[in-house]
Amino acid sequence: MIIQKNDPYTSPSFSFSNRLRRQVWNCIWFLLFLPSPRPFHRWRALLLKLFGAHLGNGVHVYPAAKIWAPWNLKLGDHVGIADGVTIYNMDIIEIGSFSVISQGAYLCGGSHDYNSSNFQLFAKPITVGEHVWICAESFISLGVSIPDGVVVGARSLVIKNISEPWTVYAGHPAKLIGKRTRNQQ
């Protein structure tokens, strides 16, 4: 997807077809997704699916959520994506069932190689397990995997994989601050 060994100062980092697809999606997002009433979750799910997103049942993506490439999005059942969330998914971002991404969170699937003379763009997937809560304004970096049941505290920075499920992480960078009780409902 990303053009390698190009000169980003004079040429694009993505193919023409990729850029065209993103522009069409941006127009649809602006004209039909963003102004849609908050309760119209099925409408927004339909728009995302039309652009290649894989969505489970009962997904709630709110109108002011910004998704860079719907075709790189996989959501399980009953996932909530709040207003103000940015999903910068140059690579696959997968979010497991019953997970919540709160307002202002940023899932960043791309970066630049600062050792490269042209700051080569690269991408890595992000995987979020089931029953995870990414709290408000948290930043999840590319290549990160978050296991089931984890809570990432508000305004936290997750730059490495979290290994232990059903825990609570917070801070800059995020560190283990507690464990969760797994309730059976």
Side-chain angles (χ1 to χ4, degrees):
M1 183 156 116
I2 299 171
I3 298 171
Q4 299 294 314
K5 299 183 187 317
N6 68 325
D7 182 358
Y9 304 111
T10 60
S11 62
S13 295
F14 294 91
S15 69
F16 178 76
S17 64
N18 179 278
R19 289 179 286 136
L20 180 63
R21 207 158 112 177
R22 282 188 287 118
Q23 287 306 317
V24 172
W25 163 245
N26 285 334
C27 290
I28 295 298
W29 178 82
F30 184 74
L31 296 172
L32 302 175
F33 193 98
L34 180 61
S36 65
R38 287 180 59 81
F40 283 31
H41 300 294
R42 287 184 182 169
W43 168 249
R44 289 185 294 278
L46 172 66
L47 293 174
L48 289 167
K49 285 179 181 180
L50 288 173
F51 280 84
H54 298 277
L55 306 181
N57 296 317
V59 169
H60 287 185
V61 179
Y62 284 87
K66 186 67 175 134
I67 297 154
W68 192 77
W71 48 92
N72 284 338
L73 182 64
K74 295 181 180 181
L75 303 180
D77 295 334
H78 305 288
V79 170
I81 309 290
D83 281 325
V85 168
T86 298
I87 296 180
Y88 189 44
N89 54 342
M90 284 191 240
D91 204 327
I92 300 295
I93 292 184
E94 186 169 358
I95 301 170
S97 296
F98 304 101
S99 291
V100 175
I101 313 299
S102 290
Q103 64 275 11
Y106 199 111
L107 282 67
C108 184
S111 189
H112 295 270
D113 179 359
Y114 53 79
N115 288 317
S116 166
S117 62
N118 68 349
F119 298 110
Q120 179 64 55
L121 184 63
F122 68 97
K124 292 184 182 178
I126 295 173
T127 304
V128 175
E130 296 184 354
H131 301 279
V132 171
W133 179 17
I134 307 296
C135 295
E137 298 184 356
S138 293
F139 183 92
I140 311 301
S141 189
L142 67 162
V144 165
S145 181
I146 299 174
D148 294 349
V150 168
V151 172
V152 175
R155 293 194 168 186
S156 292
L157 171 64
V158 181
I159 57 174
K160 294 182 181 176
N161 289 342
I162 294 175
S163 58
E164 193 173 347
W166 297 93
T167 53
V168 180
Y169 278 73
H172 293 245
K175 295 186 184 332
L176 177 66
I177 63 167
K179 297 198 180 270
R180 287 186 66 199
T181 302
R182 188 173 182 173
N183 293 333
Q184 302 295 334
Q185 293 183 14

